[in-house]
Amino acid sequence: MADNDIHKLNRYPGVKPFSEKDNELFFGRTKDRDAFYDLIFVKQHVVLYGKSGYGKSSLINAGIIPLLKERKIYVYFLVRFNNYSEKEKTESLSPLENIKKRLDVKVDTKSDFYNIIPNEGSLWYWIKQNQLNSEKTKFIIFFDQFEELFTYPKEEIADFSEQLSQLLYGSIPVSYRKKIDELEDDGNISDKLQKFLYEKPEIKVVFSIRGDRLSQLNTLTDRHPSILQNCYELDALTVDDAATAITQPAKIDDAKFKTPPFEYTDGAVEKIRESIANVQDKKIEAATLQIVCKYVEDTLVAEKGNSVITEDLLGNITDIFQRYYEALLNSFTAEEREKIQPFIEDALIDGDRRNSLTEGYIQNSLKILPGQLAILEQSSLLRKERDASGRILYEISHDSLIAAINKVAEKRRAEEANEEKQLQEKKLEIERLRLEKELEEEKLRSDELKRLNKRANVSVGVATVLALVCLVIAVVAFVFKGQADKEKREASAAEKKALRNLYESNFLKAQDWINKAEIFMKSNDNVYAETDLKRADSLIQNQTVQLSDTMEAEKRKKHLYIVALLKSCNKKR
């Protein structure tokens, strides 16, 4: 393909829903488009439901919206909430914030309406601002993939339901009515503005939801009791409608397409229909059909240059989805695939549900490069769109791809589990060999210890005999030492006793000398008295044995008495 053909268009969107600009390629849904359009015009709210892959988003984008733009009766808004993500909950908009962004509200701060009711966060206020800005009174709000609302926290769902109820079923909310009445009583509101405020815009709401999630609408019946009364079921394509959807886009001759016109043989059309039709009713899912046709356009026409598609060229159609995904993965290097495959299979898919992730999270946390994301988007595997806050979101293009991706994912996970098992077995084998080596080393150490232990036992025997001899000697020495210590103590005690006895004897002699001195003093023989007192004091003072406290006290007392007597003798002389 030439470089200037890179940005040319596909005739078949593949897994992506048809967009508004694809309306000329939107074949096979004329009856559904007209019937659904008529139902919208006669009912205030309509539920469009059908299985995933039947083309609900495509019917709105490429069927209903082009009609609305052509007839210019209603102002429309297309709202999608995207699945609530716990990984990015700090950046997620609430459902009401999402709607406000989609309504693209531009507030005129100079208007009388703003002066009376400043910028306020209700659905009614935002619609009135649009009514003021566009001078239109008829609005349609399309809630595409409405099942995503029910992934949000319950309080945010309840807030959305309450605000939508006030918008649909009343002319003006009670809180505003009270304020308007107060302004009217004060003469601060013009008749023109009052008429505008009470002029109820015609609001229509379309809820597009998967058929298997239809019961979730029951959670809104407290505020919207008739929400399930007007339902339109979008069924799979009939055999004839499928043939139209297959053949007609291929016939368009326009240079904006990446391939020249081509055609299918009747046999090729029949093979496609039979290969992908439901077994029970033979009807065909629109998304599945588009994937097959895009494969034909990209591979058989653009790459291989075929202008007539035959049965033989188609090959095995039932494997197209898996082959398409595996071929895309194989276009990356092994190193790139190690990151990209888990990103697709584990991060963007949760069971049977698609996850929407922001470009920033994918690049910063999952380390997927911008060029890799571009390849995945250009291949139609991923769909890129901006949410209401302007963030770029990526998700798997359609639910119909999930089964094929999960099948490849199961194979990858099984291989990873087997690799992990082999790795663990290898680790166990290394550990076993290490333990065996340690066991052998331990055995050698044990043998050496036994040999040393035997030698030690001999040494211990000798040491034991010597120890016993030493012990006997020590016991004998201890006995003799004890006997010697005892005799020494007894001798010391006997010596002390003898000294005490000697002192007591001297003490008694000293008392005799004192008595004699007292007799001499009475007869004024003071010289003899003094001599006897000194002898007595000498006997008392000259002792070498330790005395008891009582004896020491008596000794001091006797000494003082002798000193006193000596002084008396000296005075009389």
Side-chain angles (χ1 to χ4, degrees):
M1 186 182 295
D3 291 341
N4 59 357
D5 289 340
I6 292 176
H7 300 293
K8 289 191 174 185
L9 304 178
N10 278 96
R11 299 169 184 274
Y12 306 94
V15 290
K16 297 179 181 179
F18 282 85
S19 66
E20 181 185 332
K21 69 177 183 295
D22 297 325
N23 65 307
E24 66 174 312
L25 301 170
F26 189 58
F27 291 96
R29 287 297 191 186
T30 303
K31 293 179 182 178
D32 288 306
R33 181 198 64 187
D34 294 341
F36 187 52
Y37 185 84
D38 291 342
L39 183 62
I40 293 172
F41 267 80
V42 298
K43 301 296 180 181
Q44 184 180 28
H45 52 72
V46 178
V47 175
L48 173 64
Y49 73 98
K51 290 183 179 180
S52 178
Y54 278 13
K56 300 181 294 298
S57 297
S58 297
L59 179 61
I60 292 173
N61 295 338
I64 303 301
I65 287 178
L67 283 180
L68 292 175
K69 295 187 75 170
E70 178 186 331
R71 299 177 185 182
K72 300 179 181 179
I73 300 174
Y74 281 85
V75 176
Y76 72 89
F77 303 100
L78 184 59
V79 177
R80 184 185 167 190
F81 298 122
N82 299 108
N83 284 313
Y84 179 77
S85 173
E86 283 289 342
K87 298 176 182 177
E88 301 182 275
K89 60 183 178 182
T90 56
E91 299 181 19
S92 296
L93 297 175
S94 71
L96 285 175
E97 290 170 336
N98 200 314
I99 295 172
K100 181 180 179 181
K101 294 283 187 180
R102 295 299 185 188
L103 293 182
D104 192 25
V105 178
K106 294 179 174 62
V107 178
D108 184 359
T109 57
K110 298 180 180 179
S111 67
D112 292 338
F113 177 55
Y114 180 83
N115 292 331
I116 291 175
I117 306 175
N119 194 14
E120 193 270 342
S122 69
L123 276 178
W124 178 86
Y125 182 84
W126 299 333
I127 288 294
K128 294 301 287 186
Q129 278 288 355
N130 268 287
Q131 183 181 348
L132 181 66
N133 296 339
S134 65
E135 298 183 352
K136 298 286 187 180
T137 60
K138 294 184 178 183
F139 301 91
I140 298 179
I141 303 176
F142 293 94
F143 291 106
D144 192 18
Q145 301 192 44
F146 192 61
E147 65 272 7
E148 293 173 340
L149 171 71
F150 303 102
T151 65
Y152 283 78
K154 290 182 179 180
E155 59 273 15
E156 293 185 12
I157 298 173
D159 194 18
F160 161 80
S161 182
E162 173 63 27
Q163 291 284 333
L164 185 62
S165 174
Q166 292 182 13
L167 175 66
L168 293 177
Y169 311 128
S171 60
I172 185 170
V174 175
S175 58
Y176 296 123
R177 191 179 300 121
K178 290 180 180 179
K179 187 169 185 177
I180 292 170
D181 290 343
E182 292 173 0
L183 293 170
E184 184 180 10
D185 293 340
D186 297 337
N188 293 328
I189 186 171
S190 65
D191 292 341
K192 180 180 179 181
L193 180 57
Q194 190 172 10
K195 179 181 178 182
F196 167 75
L197 291 172
Y198 278 97
E199 181 182 12
K200 186 179 185 304
E202 182 181 336
I203 307 292
K204 293 183 179 294
V205 178
V206 175
F207 304 101
S208 175
I209 189 169
R210 285 170 50 166
D212 59 345
R213 307 289 174 83
L214 189 64
S215 62
Q216 291 180 317
L217 295 180
N218 287 315
T219 61
L220 306 180
T221 53
D222 57 336
R223 293 287 185 270
H224 307 273
S226 60
I227 192 171
L228 288 168
Q229 285 185 1
N230 307 306
C231 296
Y232 187 91
E233 181 180 9
L234 185 65
D235 202 353
L237 292 166
T238 64
V239 172
D240 292 338
D241 288 338
T244 302
I246 293 170
T247 59
Q248 294 307 307
K251 295 178 180 180
I252 300 175
D253 189 0
D254 195 318
K256 67 182 178 182
F257 295 116
K258 66 194 297 186
T259 60
F262 59 94
E263 60 182 274
Y264 296 83
T265 64
D266 292 341
V269 172
E270 185 62 22
K271 183 175 182 178
I272 292 173
R273 290 188 302 190
E274 287 183 355
S275 298
I276 62 177
N278 296 329
V279 176
Q280 293 83 1
D281 56 13
K282 300 300 180 182
K283 291 183 178 180
I284 298 164
E285 293 184 11
T288 305
L289 178 69
Q290 289 298 320
I291 292 172
V292 173
C293 291
K294 189 172 187 301
Y295 167 79
V296 170
E297 181 184 15
D298 291 342
T299 304
L300 301 183
V301 179
E303 291 183 15
K304 299 183 178 181
N306 295 295
S307 59
V308 178
I309 306 304
T310 64
E311 298 175 66
D312 294 337
L313 288 174
L314 288 172
N316 188 349
I317 292 176
T318 56
D319 294 335
I320 284 177
F321 305 108
Q322 188 171 337
R323 291 205 309 268
Y324 153 75
Y325 177 54
E326 289 177 334
L328 178 59
L329 291 177
N330 290 331
S331 67
F332 294 99
T333 66
E335 184 178 356
E336 289 175 326
R337 183 167 175 169
E338 285 181 0
K339 291 183 178 179
I340 291 172
Q341 196 168 354
F343 156 59
I344 295 169
E345 297 167 5
D346 301 335
L348 290 178
I349 296 178
D350 183 8
D352 63 347
R353 195 187 86 175
R354 292 178 289 162
N355 289 328
S356 298
L357 298 177
T358 63
E359 184 178 49
Y361 178 80
I362 293 169
Q363 293 181 5
N364 298 329
S365 298
L366 303 180
K367 307 304 180 184
I368 305 300
L369 301 178
Q372 295 167 345
L373 278 175
I375 293 173
L376 294 173
E377 188 212 350
Q378 291 166 7
S379 69
S380 297
L381 178 74
L382 301 189
R383 176 170 60 188
K384 179 178 76 173
E385 62 179 30
R386 291 187 181 273
D387 69 0
S389 63
R391 300 178 306 166
I392 295 178
L393 298 178
Y394 285 87
E395 66 177 358
I396 301 298
S397 296
H398 202 275
D399 290 339
S400 58
L401 278 173
I402 291 178
I405 293 175
N406 279 341
K407 188 174 181 180
V408 176
E410 288 175 6
K411 181 180 178 182
R412 170 182 65 86
R413 291 172 189 139
E415 290 174 351
E416 289 175 351
N418 187 51
E419 289 175 0
E420 179 64 22
K421 180 182 177 182
Q422 290 178 355
L423 180 61
Q424 292 300 323
E425 289 176 349
K426 186 176 180 180
K427 288 181 178 179
L428 289 173
E429 178 63 17
I430 292 172
E431 181 67 10
R432 184 185 66 78
L433 293 174
R434 185 185 67 80
L435 291 174
E436 285 182 355
K437 183 179 179 181
E438 286 186 358
L439 185 61
E440 183 64 26
E441 292 174 351
E442 189 65 29
K443 183 179 179 182
L444 293 174
R445 282 196 296 270
S446 177
D447 292 342
E448 179 65 14
L449 286 173
K450 287 178 181 179
R451 185 182 66 80
L452 293 174
N453 188 49
K454 185 176 181 180
R455 290 180 59 186
N457 287 337
V458 174
S459 299
V460 167
V462 174
T464 301
V465 172
L466 292 175
L468 289 173
V469 171
C470 292
L471 179 62
V472 170
I473 294 171
V475 169
V476 171
F478 180 77
V479 170
F480 281 111
K481 183 178 183 298
Q483 185 65 30
D485 289 342
K486 180 180 178 183
E487 291 175 355
K488 184 178 179 181
R489 286 194 300 271
E490 289 176 351
S492 176
E495 181 183 2
K496 290 180 180 179
K497 183 177 180 182
L499 289 173
R500 278 195 298 271
N501 292 336
L502 177 60
Y503 181 77
E504 290 175 359
S505 175
N506 289 339
F507 195 82
L508 293 174
K509 288 180 181 181
Q511 185 61 45
D512 289 340
W513 289 114
I514 294 171
N515 294 337
K516 289 179 180 180
E518 287 177 341
I519 294 172
F520 285 126
M521 288 177 69
K522 288 179 181 180
S523 59
N524 293 319
D525 290 330
N526 293 316
V527 175
Y528 293 111
E530 183 177 353
T531 300
D532 290 342
L533 288 171
K534 289 180 178 180
R535 289 175 177 171
D537 190 45
S538 176
L539 286 173
I540 292 172
Q541 295 298 328
N542 295 329
Q543 58 85 23
T544 58
V545 69
Q546 185 177 357
L547 302 177
S548 66
D549 292 341
T550 303
M551 291 295 290
E552 282 286 347
E554 186 66 26
K555 172 185 173 183
R556 286 194 297 274
K557 182 178 177 182
K558 289 292 184 183
H559 173 69
L560 293 174
Y561 182 65
I562 291 170
V563 171
L565 290 176
L566 286 172
K567 288 181 180 179
S568 178
C569 287
N570 290 332
K571 287 180 181 180
K572 290 180 180 181
R573 289 177 60 183

